[in-house]
Amino acid sequence: MRSHSYGDIMSGSRKRKIPEVPAEPGLVVEDPASGFCGALVRLEHGNAVLEDRSGKHRVFPLGPAAFLLDGKPVTLVPARTPKPAAPQRTQSASGSVHVDGLRARVARDSRIWVEGKHDAELVERIWGHDLRVEGVVVEPLDGVDVLSDAIAEFGTGPGRRLGVLVDHLVPGSKESRIVEGITDPHVMITGHPYVDIWEAVKPDVLGIEAWPRIPKGVEWKRGVCDALGWGETYEGWQRVLAAVGSFRDVETPLIGAVERLIDFVTEPAD
């Protein structure tokens, strides 16, 4: 949950009411936390989807004074009378503009690393088109225990950046302690709070009410498959991956984490 301070707007004896603005498609607003500015595409599941000038989509949670309009905080509310839908452009699975007749760009020196094979396959399922447009290769690490040594072996630099996606990046976790030791300015590490990339897939997409709680000491994927009757782990993963068709099928923290990494490794070298 984010909170933004706007002086005496939200506190003090003289409170100024934050204006409510109908969330009309095309309305240009800014997320003050990240500085991302874009046109509103739609509202979905308590979030606003914004599109910037390059066609990239970002998802931000709604809330009081969550956005800036002409530099001033506003609260977006559903429009009472939706405007007729504009002609739809073809979208990739990530929500970006699909480039027809794409020839993949020659791979950059920069890379995105993920923890394992399943992470790589899910990222490819959703962001594969974007990655080919940008010439970004995604590689599995087989865990983050070797992260520091792997970075040293890779050899980073201004035009050779690394983006790393980490599972279960929460305070006090093993993963967070490993990440705290990485200080290379040419490395960006983002993550999501889920025990495994499977858990970043929305339960309703898979026809379940929630992901089962697995006791400590039980391998998480094995426990999930046993609890849900999904058979072997590889069969469970086939079920999970097949259910994902676009960014709408995964949780917001994963979307933000991956898109920040793509932005980082595709920034022009200093």
Side-chain angles (χ1 to χ4, degrees):
M1 182 179 293
R2 301 173 302 172
S3 63
H4 308 295
S5 175
Y6 298 104
D8 65 354
I9 293 176
M10 301 296 289
S11 62
S13 59
R14 297 179 60 190
K15 294 183 179 179
R16 190 167 67 202
K17 184 178 180 181
I18 303 299
E20 294 184 344
V21 176
E24 301 282 3
L27 180 71
V28 177
V29 294
E30 178 183 352
D31 172 64
S34 65
F36 186 92
C37 184
L40 179 68
V41 178
R42 62 186 172 274
L43 301 183
E44 61 176 20
H45 308 302
N47 298 303
V49 181
L50 304 184
E51 180 183 76
D52 69 9
R53 288 179 296 178
S54 65
K56 184 178 291 295
H57 285 198
R58 286 286 183 84
V59 181
F60 299 98
L62 295 172
F67 298 93
L68 300 180
L69 177 63
D70 296 330
K72 298 179 180 179
V74 296
T75 299
L76 294 185
V77 296
R80 293 183 179 179
T81 307
K83 292 183 177 179
Q88 293 293 312
R89 292 179 290 177
T90 304
Q91 291 185 343
S92 71
S94 71
S96 65
V97 177
H98 189 278
V99 180
D100 293 323
L102 168 70
R103 294 184 61 184
R105 174 175 173 163
V106 175
R108 298 172 183 264
D109 288 337
S110 299
R111 294 285 188 272
I112 290 178
W113 287 351
V114 295
E115 287 204 42
K117 179 175 177 287
H118 292 174
D119 305 73
E121 290 178 348
L122 185 61
V123 169
E124 167 63 27
R125 173 62 62 92
I126 299 174
W127 289 275
H129 179 78
D130 306 61
L131 295 167
R132 285 186 287 277
V133 168
E134 298 290 353
V136 177
V137 175
V138 174
E139 299 174 338
L141 270 175
D142 295 325
V144 295
D145 292 342
V146 298
L147 182 57
S148 182
D149 291 340
I151 291 172
E153 182 179 351
F154 180 79
T156 61
R160 191 170 169 80
R161 296 180 172 183
L162 280 175
V164 185
L165 179 68
V166 177
D167 297 341
H168 200 222
L169 193 59
V170 296
S173 68
K174 175 193 74 173
E175 292 81 1
S176 67
R177 291 192 293 271
I178 292 173
V179 167
E180 287 169 2
I182 307 298
T183 58
D184 190 323
H186 305 298
V187 177
M188 172 182 278
I189 302 175
T190 65
H192 55 75
Y194 310 110
V195 174
D196 190 276
I197 196 73
W198 292 28
E199 199 179 10
V201 177
K202 295 177 178 178
D204 62 333
V205 172
L206 292 155
I208 60 177
E209 291 186 3
W211 285 100
R213 299 176 68 88
I214 307 304
K216 289 184 178 181
V218 177
E219 196 277 322
W220 191 85
K221 293 174 184 175
R222 178 70 270 161
V224 165
C225 290
D226 289 345
L228 297 175
W230 283 358
E232 298 299 324
T233 301
Y234 76 89
E235 294 175 302
W237 175 241
Q238 289 173 350
R239 182 189 295 263
V240 172
L241 187 62
V244 176
S246 77
F247 72 98
R248 297 180 181 87
D249 298 327
V250 297
E251 302 288 359
T252 301
L254 176 64
I255 297 171
V258 174
E259 294 195 347
R260 288 196 300 275
L261 294 181
I262 294 175
D263 288 345
F264 178 74
V265 299
T266 57
E267 285 179 358
D270 296 335

